[in-house]
Amino acid sequence: MKRYILALIGIFWILPVTSIADDFLGAPLIPSGEVVQKTGSRMEMKTTQSHDDTLAFYKKALKDYTDIKFRDWKDATYIEDDGNLAWHSITISKGHAPQTTISIMKDSWTWIIGTLVIRYIGVFVVLVVLLLGMSLSGSIISRAFKK
């Protein structure tokens, strides 16, 4: 019985270590990548895989998440999380053969508050433009139909 308990403890202790995949803030890391720069909020790595192979890896790794958006830009592919994951974006560069650069950014309150402020200001800009347009059209119409 003692051996059985020790074996179970050993399995529970060793098994999670073998099942942990490399990740940064919960975002999967490509196994053949070499970390170039790593801070608490950003990680940059390079891999010898092509852009398409790297993109296929991330599409497969992130297929179960519903709030992930893939955006294909001219010089990079941008993967963005619109949900509540710890990372905000993964950028996979194009055209830097023979290496592909991958950048993973942490979701930050600065970015969140910044987008909210921009949207808040944008709403008032639209309302001011509508007010000016309605005032201008009202004055033109009132002059045109004066009795």
Side-chain angles (χ1 to χ4, degrees):
M1 186 69 172
K2 200 175 203 181
R3 286 185 182 176
Y4 180 70
I5 292 173
L6 289 175
L8 279 176
I9 291 172
I11 288 173
F12 286 127
W13 187 58
I14 293 172
L15 189 61
V17 174
T18 60
S19 66
I20 294 174
D22 286 339
D23 69 351
F24 177 70
L25 300 171
L29 298 180
I30 198 155
S32 64
E34 174 188 341
V35 176
V36 176
Q37 177 186 8
K38 184 176 181 180
T39 63
S41 61
R42 175 183 167 83
M43 187 180 83
E44 188 172 322
M45 63 187 300
K46 291 189 178 189
T47 182
T48 56
Q49 291 187 357
S50 69
H51 171 269
D52 295 334
D53 292 340
T54 306
L55 182 60
F57 169 80
Y58 278 105
K59 281 188 177 183
K60 183 179 177 186
L62 301 172
K63 68 181 176 186
D64 295 332
Y65 296 100
T66 57
D67 295 327
I68 304 294
K69 291 183 183 175
F70 290 86
R71 298 180 184 177
D72 191 24
W73 293 342
K74 179 182 172 184
D75 56 346
T77 298
Y78 186 74
I79 305 169
E80 183 177 23
D81 169 48
D82 289 337
N84 59 354
L85 298 176
W87 57 274
H88 170 66
S89 67
I90 301 172
T91 307
I92 305 169
S93 68
K94 293 180 183 177
H96 298 288
Q99 290 186 336
T100 302
T101 305
I102 304 162
S103 299
I104 302 173
M105 298 291 292
K106 181 181 180 181
D107 204 3
S108 67
W109 282 104
T110 307
W111 181 84
I112 294 167
I113 299 298
T115 49
L116 289 175
V117 167
I118 289 171
R119 289 179 183 178
Y120 186 77
I121 291 171
V123 166
F124 284 104
V125 167
V126 168
L127 290 175
V128 167
V129 168
L130 286 173
L131 177 69
L132 292 175
M134 288 174 56
S135 298
L136 181 66
S137 69
S139 65
I140 292 173
I141 290 172
S142 67
R143 287 184 190 145
F145 295 108
K146 222 176 199 183
K147 289 187 177 183

